[in-house]
Amino acid sequence: FETTPGLDLSALPAGAFDLVLAVDSFPYLVQAGVADAHVAGAARVLRAGGALAALNLSYRGDPDRDRADAARWAEAHGMALEVA
């Protein structure tokens, strides 16, 4: 297990994790406009077949927009959106 201050995952080694778990942090990343960068960081630190689990994507109240954003970020960083 590693915890981060939430700024980024740059201090973590590439390909070292099976799971990146973001619990109620993505709403703030979405609001700040940096969620895509955090998905990129997660993709970098995950092993092949690893998963990013973002519990609560935003506070926008727009599930369609959230799904579209999640799908776009996943595709851009070589991931697949499995559950939305």
Side-chain angles (χ1 to χ4, degrees):
F1 287 93
E2 291 285 341
T3 59
T4 69
L7 298 174
D8 60 36
L9 301 176
S10 63
L12 304 177
F17 296 91
D18 294 312
L19 174 68
V20 173
L21 179 60
V23 179
D24 206 31
S25 55
F26 261 78
Y28 304 102
L29 302 174
V30 168
Q31 185 177 15
V34 297
D36 180 67
H38 282 263
V39 173
R44 184 187 67 77
V45 302
L46 286 169
R47 291 184 182 109
L52 165 62
L55 308 179
N56 192 9
L57 192 70
S58 81
Y59 295 139
R60 296 184 291 206
D62 187 344
D64 292 334
R65 187 172 173 200
D66 286 350
R67 275 190 289 281
D69 281 348
R72 182 173 40 81
W73 297 329
E75 183 178 349
H77 301 292
M79 303 169 98
L81 181 62
E82 293 186 15
V83 177

